[in-house]
Amino acid sequence: MPDAPAPAPPKPLSAPQKALRKLGLLRPIDLALHLPLRYEDETRLTPLSEAARVLGSEPLQFEATVLHQEVTYRPRRQLLVTVEDGGERCLLRFFNFYPSQLKQLAVGARLRFRGELRGGFGGLTMMHPTVHAAGGTLPGALTPVYSTVAQLPQAYLRKAVQAGLAQADLSATIPDEFSSQIDVLRAWDLRQALTFLHHPAADVTLSELQDHSHPAWQRLKAEELLAQQLSQWKARVARQQLHAPALRVAPGGLPEQLLAALPFELTGAQRRVGEEIARDLARSQPMHRLLQGDVGSGKTVVAALAACVAIDAGWQCALMAPTEILAEQHFAKLAQWLAPLLATRGQAVAWLTGSQKKKERAPMLAAIESGAAALVIGTHAVIQAQVKFARLGLAIIDEQHRFGVEQRLALRQKALPPPLGEGRGGGAEVQGEAGASPHPNLPPKGEGAMEPHLLMMSATPIPRTLAMSYYADLDVSTLDELPPGRTPVVTKLLAEHRRDELVERLRAQIGEGRQVYWVCPLIEESEALDLRHASQTHAELSAALPAARVGLLHARLPPAEKKAVMAEFVAGRIDVLVSTTVIEVGVDVPNASVMVIEHAERFGLSQLHQLRGRVGRGAAASACVLLYSVPEGGRLGETARARLKAMLETADGFEIARRDLEIRGPGEFLGARQSGDALLRFADLAEDSALLQWARATAPAMWARHPQDAARHVERWLGARTDYLKA
Ligand code: ADP
Ligand code: MG
């Protein structure tokens, strides 16, 4: 007997199916919500005789008869076809063509052509028109054009969207009591709005569709904003169910000791923000706070104070930074401040990075697990599975926007041990005065999950309204004051062909003991190219400045070498540090007073601002030189110009952020668009503030009175993306 046939393996996905998946178009509703980028009007035919008068505007279509066909080879191989209608002729040109097309375009054939018509001495011409049989019925609605990728042909996508629209559950989720509050919601339901936007009637005012002011668009924006607000409200409520250790400080405790040991006084802003954080930490719900402050505003010391609160209360604190160099700097600074204070309590500062040798790492892991390491500083290594905290009470994430959502969630989920008497009992031995109970401030068992407090820091200030509407459930503290004694940085714009002058001036500066950063741009496609570019600049500068010590830092260097180069620069043994953007975040070398940014036109605005923030940290007058090159035969792009202009006009991080937002739009501003997960696809927080207000007011009421509809609404709109709103 033959064996039963093996079950057929799952069919591999076709290329267009894979592309759909990659675009996140998985469920019918995702397809239905994939709205057209623009439309083509194929509802009309324009007679050739009339078409001559509307040259050069929109693509148009006409029907005509083929008079003549020939393939020429000069100046290059092409197919030339002359067509005629009502006495008017038009020459069609095809550079790519198939035998089947030669057949289709036979002399005498009556056909329909669509493309952009051009005039000229030789009469009307059209390049590469699309060709169909004449006489077919014309569509009654505009034809949608969707954003797509190479592997996903427009026609395939159109069919998929059409099918999605037919299959998706579009039944109402917004109860009447809320939808009746807004005119557009009364007038258009979701199905009507979507059907219309995918296939608008030909007589619609196109501008209304383009600027999203059409009622159908308004309906979608309202729905989207509501989904976002519902999801945020839920996250906030969820956090209120969680528990965190209440971290309270005794008088004369670590924070006070740190303040006494610091070589400077806190600024008013640092004090205020420190108090905001201390207040949150004293609560038994996890803090979820974003500390934003311009580059150089002194966030590190605020983080150190928060760490002191946690440690003083008998808990551990973890600080995670996005790069090894930055983590190293934090370690150096915090260890200098805190290690002596901790030593008197028998505690230490631990250090974790990916490049660490096992031998160095093992004792760190042990100290973290036993609780002897009260403060743990490191890179992503901190969130790896082997790292087990005895009692993590506070997690701090520096430059939070550099971390992915998953990483932020992972740090929060570094679960605390179960309270009292369960699991690893360890910790009492390093608990110090906190006494026998390892978890003195924990709520009784079974009252809800535990999470550490979370402090996120960012030097890319997010305009307040944006922060509140984008990030679920986030409190924001702002350092709006720089420490005293800073000299403002002078910013200069310099064309590339004046590079020699610049090098001359640097020579003089270096002679006066100044140190210089020279940053080379990231070339997107290739890290190897970056490196070549930076190495070349390094060689050129070394040759041009023989008396100076020129160093090179780039992402490919092994961590130990990076560290060594950085240490040389900090110690003043390197005069000019040529680097790729690895120095972008956080480094603090007060003696460096000149920042040169090569190909500044290629950098983003907040990146430029961050880089400029590396200088002006000491007493010396500082300068930032933006070297720019204009592409051959062209001019600087609109956005590049706007960015450079903003750099010249302001040094205020918030103003920079505002302009950046203006230049890029909120989706990209928050880095969401890059990851293909823009949180708001349709609504614009600034433009649609009335709808936003409605959504904000509606969300809590809807969860309270119609929880099922609320859940369905969130699922429909956000599906798998809800995590993004939580982190
Ligand atoms: P950022 O907010 O960019 O992380 P840092 O924390 O690195 O800024 O601080 C920038 C510099 O200012 C550091 O050298 C730091 O020691 C110093 N600093 C911080 N606060 C004060 C203060 N209140 N007075 C004087 N110097 C300060
Ligand atoms: Mg910093």
Side-chain angles (χ1 to χ4, degrees), residues 20-32:
L20 280 179
R21 196 160 278 215
K22 220 161 130 200
L23 289 174
L25 302 176
L26 303 173
R27 310 170 300 169
I29 185 69
D30 300 327
L31 285 156

Side-chain angles (χ1 to χ4, degrees), residues 435-602:
S437 158
H439 312 298
N441 302 317
L442 282 189
K445 202 185 144 204
E447 270 202 4
M450 289 289 297
E451 265 195 15
H453 294 282
L454 180 65
L455 176 64
M456 296 183 277
M457 307 203 284
S458 174
T460 306
I462 301 160
R464 200 177 167 76
T465 49
L466 197 57
M468 309 260 295
S469 335
Y470 256 92
Y471 289 106
D473 177 30
L474 187 70
D475 299 306
V476 181
S477 286
T478 303
L479 284 178
D480 50 7
E481 183 184 347
L482 291 181
R486 298 277 164 86
T487 42
V489 180
V490 177
T491 303
K492 289 243 163 72
L493 204 55
L494 200 68
E496 172 65 32
H497 63 83
R498 296 175 59 190
R499 191 183 176 108
D500 292 347
E501 286 169 49
L502 171 63
V503 174
E504 280 316 303
R505 268 195 267 168
L506 290 184
R507 191 196 308 278
Q509 302 264 319
I510 294 163
E512 288 167 26
R514 307 281 192 79
Q515 286 174 283
V516 179
Y517 291 104
W518 186 298
V519 177
C520 301
L522 208 73
I523 298 163
E524 256 174 45
E525 309 82 58
S526 149
E527 208 182 310
L529 265 183
D530 284 0
L531 178 52
R532 207 173 66 206
H533 187 104
S535 315
Q536 201 177 325
T537 302
H538 174 253
E540 279 169 21
L541 288 174
S542 305
L545 301 167
R549 295 154 298 183
V550 185
L552 176 62
L553 189 66
H554 59 78
R556 288 256 184 105
L557 278 186
E561 264 178 71
K562 266 191 225 166
K563 222 188 274 185
V565 173
M566 210 53 218
E568 291 281 286
F569 190 60
V570 171
R573 288 192 293 270
I574 287 178
D575 301 305
V576 182
L577 182 63
V578 176
S579 97
T580 51
T581 34
V582 286
I583 60 153
E584 180 193 343
V585 288
V587 293
D588 186 33
V589 182
N591 190 50
S593 61
V594 181
M595 166 66 65
V596 178
I597 305 175
E598 202 173 328
H599 280 298
E601 77 282 357
R602 294 187 192 165

Side-chain angles (χ1 to χ4, degrees), residues 602-620:
R602 294 187 192 165
F603 287 85
L605 185 50
S606 73
Q607 222 178 358
L608 289 173
H609 179 67
Q610 288 264 323
L611 286 169
R612 177 169 60 185
R614 298 303 117 218
V615 295
R617 297 182 157 235

Side-chain angles (χ1 to χ4, degrees), residues 264-267 270 293-301 333 337 483-484 486 586 588 590 617:
F264 48 74
E265 294 274 309
L266 293 190
T267 64
Q270 283 169 325
D294 208 349
V295 272
S297 58
K299 293 184 287 295
T300 316
V301 72
K333 186 153 254 172
W337 286 338
R486 298 277 164 86
D588 186 33
R617 297 182 157 235

